[in-house]
Amino acid sequence: MPIARRSVLAGSTAAAAATALGAAGSAEAAGRPQSAASPLLQRTPSRLGVPGVAGLHLQFGADPGTEMTVSWISPQSVRRPQIRLGSPDGGAGRVVDAETRTYRDGLSREEVYVHHAHLTGLRPDTTYLYSAGHDGAAPETGSFTTAPRGRTAFTFTSFGDQGAPNLRRAVKWPSGDTPSPSGPFPLYTSSQAGSPAAADIVAAVERVGPLFNLLNGDLCYASAAGVFGEDRVATWADWFISNSRSTRLRPWMPCVGNGENEKGNGPLGLAGYQTYFTLPGSTTATDPDTRGLWYAFTVGAVRFISLANDDVAIQDTGDTYVHGYSGGAQRRWLERELKAARANAGIDWIVAFMHHPMISSSRGGSGSDLGIRKAWGPLFDAYGVDLVLSGHEHYYERSLPVRGTLPNEARTPVPVSTRTDVADTGKGTVHMIIGGGGNFATTQDNLFEEPKGRVVVDLSKETEGRHRKAVFVTEDAPWRAVQDRVHTHGFAAFDVDPGDRRTGRTRMHVTYYTFDGPYGELTPVDTFTLERPRRDAHARH
C-alpha cells in the first residue's frame, strides 16, 4: 500500500478551509472589512452574465518546490482574474494576477479563455490554500502541496487515455423491437471516447492522494469529437470540469498524445493543448509552435521528462501527420537533459513519460513504433533511464528491465533479468503501458498470448479512413514481464523510498490498481519494486 504522505490535505478539508480565503477576497474587492463572516455569507453568488470559475487545474513550475501555476477556463473574457494565496495556519495572504491566453477553435470558431496565475517564492514541502476568481464570479477554492527537496519519500500516480465522461451526442431511442434508432425520444451518449471510468478514475486517484499525477497522453479526445462533428471546446471543458475534483488539489502533469492533435488549431494542431496548460519552461520557450510540448522537472531525487512522441513516431494516428516537426530539436534537448541529470549527484532516478509505447503485446492495435525505438531507445540506454511510462494502447503491461537491442528490423529490446517482482533499473529500463484511464475502446482481450508483439516499421500507400495504414513486423518479445488481460481500466501508484547511505539503495514500490464505481474503490492487480544505487552510495559510512 502507499507509504505515508506528508502535507497533503484531504480534498473536503482543504476546500472548506479555502472557502474562507474566497470570502476574504470578495470582501476586500468590495471594499468591506475582512471580519469574521457567518457561514451563510461566506460565498457570493456570481453575477448574471458573468461566467463562473471552471476547470481549476494545477501545474508545477520549473522548480516544483517553489513554483506552481493555478489555471481555470471561461467561455468569454473576464475582468481581473486573480488568485488569493494563503495557508492553513496563516489565513488569507497575497493576491497574484492571472495572465489570460486564448485560442479560437478551427471547427466551431469558438474562442476559449484560459487564465494562468504563476505563483513563485513558495516554500518546499508546504501546503497552501488558494481561491481563484474574477470580477462578478463566486471564487472557487483548492489547495496544493509543493514538492520536497532532496532525497525524501513521496507518491505519484500515472495513467493515459482517459476521455471525458460527457453525454452530448443525441440519437433517437429505439422504437419497440426495432434495432435502429427510430423512436421519438433522444438517447444521449458520449461525443468522443469517454466512458463512466473516465470520471471514476478521478475519485480513484484521490483515494491514493499522490503529490501529483502524470498523464501519458490522449487526455480528452477532443480531436475525436471533432471527427464526428461534435464540439471540441465542450469536450475539453467537460474533461477539465470533471477532473477538477483532483486537479485543484494536485498537479496533473501531461504529455501530448496523438489525441491532442486537432486539425485547424495551429500549425501542429496543438494550440488547444498549449493554451490550456502552462508547463515548466514553456514561458521562456523561443519557438511558439513547440512551446510546452516537451519539458522536465525535479521532485526529490527524481527527474521527470515529458516527451512528444508524434515528432518521431512513424504511425499516422493524429488529426494531421506531423512526423519530424521539430527537425531533431527535441532529440537534442532530450540528450542534454539526460546528460545533465546523470551528472547531477542529487538525482537518483530518471522517469520519462510519453504517449506511444516502445513495448507492446497488442495484436490489433498500434503496437510498438520503430521510430520511437530509433529516436529515444539509444538515449534511454546511454544515460540509464530507469522508467518509461506510456499509454496509446488501452490496457496494462510492463516489461522486464531492458538494455540494448537485438540486430533485427524491429530493434527488439533485450532483457537483463527475468525477475518480475524486483527490477534493478541501474542495469536496465522498465517500460510500462498504462493506457486504461477511461477510454471505452479497451484492448486487454486482444493481446498475444505467447511472448510476441507487433512493431510499426513503415507506412503503406493505402489509406484506412483518414490515415495511412501502418506496415508491421511481428517480433518475439523476450522483454515481456506482466500483462493485465482481465481489467478494463486502471492506474499505477509509485511510492518513492529514498533509502539511506548505509544500504546505498533507493526503491520505488509500484502498485497497479483497477477501480470500480464513482467512489473509486481500489483493487491491486500488480505489485513490484524498482531499485537502483543511490548516486551518493560512494559516501556511505
Side-chain angles (χ1 to χ4, degrees):
M1 296 299 291
I3 56 177
R5 285 170 286 276
R6 297 180 294 153
S7 302
V8 177
L9 291 181
S12 58
T13 303
T19 298
L21 293 179
S26 298
E28 182 180 287
R32 300 191 300 271
Q34 297 184 42
S35 57
S38 162
L40 296 177
L41 302 177
Q42 285 187 346
R43 288 185 62 83
T44 303
S46 295
R47 294 192 201 124
L48 290 177
V50 176
V53 176
L56 269 180
H57 56 285
L58 300 168
Q59 305 113 90
F60 281 135
D63 178 1
T66 63
E67 301 175 38
M68 189 75 74
T69 298
V70 182
S71 305
W72 67 101
I73 59 178
S74 64
Q76 64 193 63
S77 64
V78 300
R79 294 184 66 247
R80 293 199 301 177
Q82 59 184 211
I83 292 294
R84 176 169 290 275
L85 183 68
S87 63
D89 55 358
R94 57 190 169 106
V95 172
V96 178
D97 291 331
E99 169 206 11
T100 298
R101 298 205 304 267
T102 70
Y103 79 99
R104 189 176 295 278
D105 183 73
L107 291 181
S108 68
R109 308 309 299 164
E110 293 178 74
E111 191 166 13
V112 179
Y113 298 80
V114 188
H115 317 288
H116 302 274
H118 186 49
L119 310 179
T120 60
L122 306 175
R123 296 188 301 273
D125 199 18
T126 301
T127 296
Y128 290 87
L129 308 177
Y130 68 89
S131 66
H134 47 258
D135 284 1
E140 291 289 335
T141 58
S143 71
F144 61 80
T145 300
T146 52
R149 295 278 200 216
R151 290 178 170 89
T152 189
F154 66 92
T155 295
F156 67 96
T157 53
S158 179
F159 64 84
D161 304 79
Q162 185 181 9
N166 62 14
L167 294 172
R168 293 189 179 275
R169 183 187 301 163
V171 297
K172 292 292 187 178
W173 185 268
S175 177
D177 295 329
T178 306
S180 61
S182 59
F185 304 112
L187 172 65
Y188 289 94
T189 184
S190 175
S191 65
Q192 35 67 42
S195 75
D200 297 345
I201 198 169
V202 184
V205 166
E206 283 305 291
R207 291 181 70 87
V208 171
L211 181 65
F212 59 95
N213 180 53
L214 301 179
L215 288 164
N216 307 330
D218 280 11
L219 310 183
C220 68
Y221 295 94
S223 61
V227 170
F228 293 103
E230 303 291 341
D231 191 338
R232 299 191 299 202
V233 170
T235 301
W236 275 109
D238 287 330
W239 186 78
F240 276 113
I241 291 168
S242 177
N243 286 352
S244 66
R245 292 172 290 154
S246 178
T247 59
R248 70 175 60 209
L249 303 175
R250 60 198 84 253
W252 283 31
M253 303 298 289
C255 72
V256 63
N258 57 286
E260 281 63 70
N261 178 319
E262 299 169 358
K263 188 174 182 179
N265 285 351
L268 300 176
L270 299 172
Y273 178 88
Q274 292 171 303
T275 303
Y276 288 114
F277 296 102
T278 294
L279 298 166
S282 61
T283 56
T284 58
T286 57
D287 184 352
D289 290 346
T290 60
R291 173 178 49 83
L293 301 188
W294 50 85
Y295 63 92
F297 61 95
T298 298
V299 176
V302 186
R303 187 66 170 169
F304 294 90
I305 298 177
S306 175
L307 297 174
N309 278 3
D310 266 344
D311 183 24
V312 298
I314 294 171
Q315 58 197 262
D316 178 10
T317 52
D319 248 9
T320 57
Y321 190 59
V322 294
H323 173 82
Y325 63 78
S326 81
Q330 183 177 190
R331 190 184 192 282
R332 293 189 293 272
W333 172 88
L334 175 59
E335 183 157 23
R336 290 194 301 270
E337 277 293 328
L338 294 175
K339 186 175 182 180
R342 278 293 168 240
N344 187 337
I347 300 295
D348 292 329
W349 300 89
I350 299 176
V351 176
F353 59 113
M354 60 192 196
H355 186 56
H356 308 78
M358 278 182 54
I359 62 100
S360 172
S361 294
S362 174
R363 287 189 307 178
S366 297
S368 309
D369 192 292
L370 183 61
I372 296 166
R373 287 184 175 183
K374 285 182 174 181
W376 306 153
L379 296 181
F380 293 163
D381 287 346
Y383 295 98
V385 170
D386 297 281
L387 178 64
V388 176
L389 307 175
S390 62
H392 196 53
E393 295 289 358
H394 303 156
Y395 71 99
Y396 171 76
E397 181 170 24
R398 64 178 168 97
S399 76
L400 299 166
V402 296
R403 182 69 46 86
T405 63
L406 294 175
N408 58 16
E409 183 182 8
R411 296 200 180 187
T412 302
V414 177
V416 297
S417 168
T418 58
R419 289 187 65 175
T420 59
D421 57 337
V422 177
D424 185 344
T425 62
K427 298 178 180 178
T429 303
V430 171
H431 293 257
M432 297 176 68
I433 297 174
I434 317 171
N439 185 300
F440 75 85
T442 59
T443 56
Q444 74 287 342
D445 55 358
N446 190 18
L447 310 179
F448 284 103
E449 293 186 12
E450 64 275 28
K452 289 187 178 297
R454 295 200 311 165
V455 184
V456 179
V457 296
D458 201 353
L459 290 179
S460 167
K461 293 182 180 179
E462 298 178 45
T463 59
E464 191 170 51
R466 299 175 298 127
H467 305 289
R468 290 174 62 189
K469 294 180 67 173
V471 177
F472 293 95
V473 298
T474 300
E475 68 176 358
D476 291 329
W479 41 259
R480 194 175 84 177
V482 173
Q483 304 166 322
D484 181 8
R485 296 172 169 270
V486 176
H487 304 96
T488 55
H489 298 97
F491 70 98
F494 302 81
D495 299 322
V496 179
D497 175 2
D500 54 46
R501 288 185 177 179
R502 180 182 57 82
T503 63
R505 306 289 286 179
T506 176
R507 294 174 175 84
M508 284 191 195
H509 304 287
V510 187
T511 304
Y512 177 73
Y513 294 102
T514 191
F515 54 90
D516 183 55
Y519 298 101
E521 296 294 336
L522 302 180
T523 302
V525 173
D526 182 29
T527 59
F528 61 101
T529 299
L530 308 175
E531 64 176 25
R532 65 161 296 115
R534 282 171 50 130
R535 290 296 311 283
D536 63 351
H538 63 279
R540 61 189 173 191
H541 53 271

